[in-house]
Amino acid sequence: MKVVIIGGVAGGATAAARIRRLDEKAEIIVFERTGYISYANCGLPYYIGDTITDPEELTLQTPESFFSRFHIQMKVHHEVTAIHVDKKSVSVKNLESGEEFEETYDKLILSPGAKPTQPRIPGVGIEKLFTLRTVEDTFRIKEYIIQNHPKSVVLTGGGFIGLELAENLKELGMDVTIVQRPKQLMNPFDADMASFIHSEMRKKGVTLVLGYTVEGFEEKDGGVDVLLKDAKSLHADMVVQAIGVTPDTHLAKEAGLELGIKGSIVVNDHMETSVPDIYAAGDAVQVKHYVTGQDALISLAGPANKQGRIIADNICGGDSRYQGSQGSSVIKVFDMTAAVTGINETNACKAGLDVDTVILSPMSHAGYYPGGKVMTMKVVFEKETYRLLGAQIVGYEGVDKRIDVLATAIHAGLKATQLKDLDLAYAPPYSSAKDPVNMAGFMIENISKGILKQWHLEDAANLPHDGSVTLLDVRTVGEYSRGHIEGFRNIPVDELREHLDEIEKGKPVYVICQSGLRSYIASRILEGNGYETYNFSGGFRFYDAVMNDRGLIETATACGMDQ
């Protein structure tokens, strides 16, 4: 059996190694147009920022090491220019010598990845305008910084690459500005959760220009002007475009393979394309979202590795199937960690799902053990069925641990109410006896039993102030004096029972505290005394963070610049 693989890195290199482990006699050839067949794509920003100092650390395998261990021919600087389905061959060009030739195959694997999205606007291609996708891109940016010592940079795009670059370039002492059309960074997160990411970025000195459309680039005064629609331009010594990626599928299109979202390659759960004996994996393929079942593009290294392994199994006579991607991811944002799995509330609603959420602010470990830090968790679930749909966590310590537990729970098909039953490891330096994941489950169980009724951030603007409801803030007097929602009366929870006669019966009571815990206790006191109550999801800490962020963005939009 002869297997030809177009593209290395996560999908292609994984498939190649797995095929060899399953079939010692197979002839395996990998064509990679860059000089690197297996590298740490996710580590590239950290090399630019000197967190990783040795460029060889980025290279997981070389053509020589691959051949030595697996006897696989890794042909770098070889670009496949055409796929001939009828002849089961590919046309290849040696980019170093210019030689062109054809290579036949029994099985063909496409792992071309994706390329940085390049908008069709004036100025794309100028010298001081960069993209970051390959090792060569990384070295180009690094060399420019070393030789020219730029003092400022504009990043167009606020996704994973944009944020990681922002941190690393800021650590090099550069003034960093992020500009993008959406009014939030990190679209996998809901806007309310993204506000905590915004706060951390601003705290570290990164300027956010959100809600602005880039219309072009111009070289000016030794740097680059980033031209914005209906706003003054931004000037920097260099610009990096990081607005996302587009599947690199021109070969598949020209060969007549079925294409899907944004020109991605359509595959079945065996990772087979529409053409027999041709498989595809990685950022170039359309997958099913594990939670919604809808077609999706999810460009992450973990799914690409799994898909490459599945292809290898099936080529070698197995029956492996890809069950879909749920988008589990984590990112370091300076001192903060942000993580997500499944779908967020926004996308769940767009998918037509009837959802609810709980928002809580637990400590990373036992409160009595020194060093604990607050995290903010948002868990999304389906009403009525309590199917667990997704989760987002922003915090400092223990974020990655909890998101992985929640990702596993989603994959296992647990209901949100079952989170309370998970037997999770506890010791004071690492967790609490009631782990944050368990706490989310307790809250959702209370909702399912009617013990807890909530009101949410989006309800705040529509709360009546005509006396038809009671608005109650149960924090301490000091907390209330430092900031509160207009119209809310302050009665601390520990004094509530002594003031029940001041709260009119027959009116719904909307309760808030700092995190949601004391207001829940207040709700139970009130419910036990004949009141109907609604507890604010997230607490005033959450409300204040989101509203401050929204205010900064809206003020900046009105003035033509964010802070």
Side-chain angles (χ1 to χ4, degrees), residues 169-189:
L169 295 176
K170 190 67 183 177
E171 295 291 343
L172 291 179
M174 298 174 66
D175 291 329
V176 179
T177 298
I178 297 178
V179 58
Q180 68 167 13
R181 183 165 49 194
K183 289 188 176 181
Q184 71 166 86
L185 304 174
M186 297 296 295
N187 282 334
F189 292 79

Side-chain angles (χ1 to χ4, degrees), residues 163 418 426 441:
L163 265 65
Q418 292 179 280
Y426 158 61

Side-chain angles (χ1 to χ4, degrees), residues 544-562:
D544 194 43
V546 177
M547 297 308 293
N548 281 339
D549 180 60
R550 288 180 181 177
L552 286 169
I553 294 172
E554 294 305 323
T555 300
T557 302
C559 299
M561 185 61 63
D562 197 2

